[in-house]
Amino acid sequence: MIPYHGTPITPDTCAIEALKGGHGFVTFATPQQIRLVAELCQSFAIDNGAFIFWKNEKSPDWEKFYLWLRDWIFHPRLDFVVIPDVIEGSEAENDALISAWPYGASKGAPVWHTNESFDRLGRLAHSYPRVCIGSSGEYDVSMRSAYISHVQRALRTICNS
């Protein structure tokens, strides 16, 4: 497992120490340290920022995200990008965003939300090398016991013994 350090880390002097030779995670919602991350880290990943936009009651501009991403998608140290998703959206809404993803499965990681079906999780795991898990609904991470039990069941649907 690769531990990615989330950014931003302030001040930059602390970011340099924390990121140097490690792995960084930059979100589109606060991308100001991406150049630093790309320069210092062994590898990095990019988050679409959907959760931050949702928490701030703002709508993400996926066209702007894709334009910004063009500068980074082929960077040699980029591991993956979290494909745009709709927080509290339907499976159909999230599947539509995955269908619109222009960069293929090797660079994209779709999000399976814990209130979505295990069938959807199975489809995503079959089609992508990695799947992100987003807590939501009755299985939100704040409901620790229900969340852990549900994620354990989810993992049993996609992992062999």
Side-chain angles (χ1 to χ4, degrees):
M1 183 161 76
I2 297 174
Y4 291 90
H5 294 283
T7 61
I9 299 170
T10 57
D12 278 356
T13 54
C14 290
I16 291 166
E17 287 304 310
L19 297 168
K20 191 171 23 180
H23 307 276
F25 197 68
V26 178
T27 177
F28 175 61
T30 55
Q32 59 267 33
Q33 288 183 327
I34 192 160
R35 292 189 191 287
L36 189 66
V37 166
E39 180 181 321
L40 294 174
C41 293
Q42 289 182 55
S43 71
F44 67 99
I46 295 175
D47 177 53
N48 63 45
F51 182 75
I52 294 171
F53 291 120
W54 176 77
K55 285 296 267 187
N56 292 322
E57 299 180 0
K58 295 182 179 177
S59 295
D61 181 343
W62 298 132
E63 290 304 316
K64 187 176 177 182
F65 173 65
Y66 288 136
L67 285 173
W68 174 80
L69 194 56
R70 285 191 346 209
D71 291 339
W72 300 104
I73 194 69
F74 299 112
H75 192 284
R77 287 191 288 275
L78 177 66
D79 283 340
F80 69 94
V81 177
V82 179
I83 296 173
D85 64 308
V86 180
I87 309 298
E88 296 185 339
S90 68
E91 290 185 14
E93 288 173 301
N94 285 307
D95 286 344
L97 286 171
I98 290 169
S99 293
W101 172 249
Y103 297 109
S106 67
K107 286 292 186 183
V111 179
W112 174 73
H113 301 90
T114 53
N115 64 333
E116 296 173 340
S117 71
F118 290 152
D119 286 341
R120 182 169 189 271
L121 174 60
R123 283 186 282 113
L124 296 175
H126 180 74
S127 301
Y128 290 84
R130 67 183 57 81
V131 176
C132 301
I133 298 175
S135 75
S136 59
E138 64 272 26
Y139 304 109
D140 185 85
V141 73
S142 65
M143 293 169 260
R144 186 173 158 78
S145 181
Y147 172 80
I148 290 171
S149 175
H150 189 69
V151 169
Q152 286 173 335
R153 286 192 309 274
L155 293 177
R156 283 193 293 271
T157 70
I158 59 171
C159 298
N160 59 28
S161 58

